[in-house]
Amino acid sequence: MAPDLLLRLLTTPAMAPALSAAQWDLALRQARRAGLMARLALVVQEAGVPVPAQAQRHLAGALTVCKRLQEALAWELARIRAALADTGAPAVLLKGAAYAAAGLPVAAGRLFGDVDLLVPREHLAVVEAALLEHGWAPMKLDPYDQRYYRQWMHEIPPLEHTRRQTVIDVHHNILPRTARHRPDPSLILDLVRPALQAPGFFVPAPVDLVIHCATHLFYEGETDRALRDLLDFDGLLRHFGPEPGFWDTLVPRAQALDLARPLYYGLRYARRVLGTPIPGEVAQAAATAAPAWPVTLAMDWLAQEGFRPKHPSCRGPFTGLAHFILYLRGHWLRMPLRLLLPHLLRKALPRRAPRPVDRAAIL
């Protein structure tokens, strides 16, 4: 078993020539499970290290798929822009779509699923109506799911295009309304800037991109893409770090957004896992948001397990327990117990077939 093989290869590609065929096979399987095949391909390509022919075929295929997905994303953004043209709503891209639209290096080799949009809450209804009119439809038809999203979450139920099966998550904030932390979305919207690679869209300011990345990573209960998200966080810090004023504003901005704790976790584990260069004074300032030491010890263990790919070779005797605790933690951060317990009970029970959604009721 080599649970850290992929991580070591990503951070130290010079070790590639020393890997046996069996180790390459295992590294590729771990990378595929973590959604990092194309990123691994770029890492070894940029390092100029030799790769066995069989492994190279898999890596080249991953790069081809990644390129097609990025082309598809650009085309899909054009369709979304056309759909929202008459709404007058500023559309701010988040997460992977934002990285690509801003032309950031971290987007290279990154796979894309859905498109995440942030719009002012007062524009939410008109944006949803425009998307429904242009072929998108709700994916969550159950009345309870509709209520869950619209009453408690920071987004409306996901919308899927009826012909292309592309998915949009339309947000009015970056955390649920019931979450422990309460960022003010107007602060993020006030500092957005035009997306260089996607005319008509905006992206958050660099510090907000970084803080949102950490927030998404440490509020998320699912760990399938945890290592990829930590690599995103590392890549953003390495890219924006040299910009004048970036490090000076990072922690104060997180405090203003009520997101100092997620940023602290992000900085702590990026440095421990990936060796991300972080100025000592910034790490020290971020540590003022650290939890009590027993919680930090527990998080260290959870993070160690959570950042491993979900591949059988990466499982230890307590990995399943760690993932279950992270799953519960993610929900616990997003909802108070009085809402969370009935919600988890409802999710655990078998569901009946959903009734058709009443679109008039949505709008």
Side-chain angles (χ1 to χ4, degrees), residues 8 12 35 89 114 145 165 218 226 334 336:
R8 287 190 286 121
T12 315
D114 49 6
D145 288 335
Q165 280 75 56
F218 289 98
R334 295 159 69 92

Side-chain angles (χ1 to χ4, degrees), residues 245-280:
F246 172 79
W247 289 114
D248 293 336
T249 57
L250 183 60
V251 174
R253 180 65 170 175
Q255 292 168 341
L257 288 169
D258 192 23
L259 297 172
R261 178 68 62 83
L263 178 66
Y264 162 73
Y265 283 139
L267 296 175
R268 178 179 179 84
Y269 297 116
R271 185 152 69 172
R272 288 167 68 105
V273 177
L274 301 173
T276 309
I278 297 166

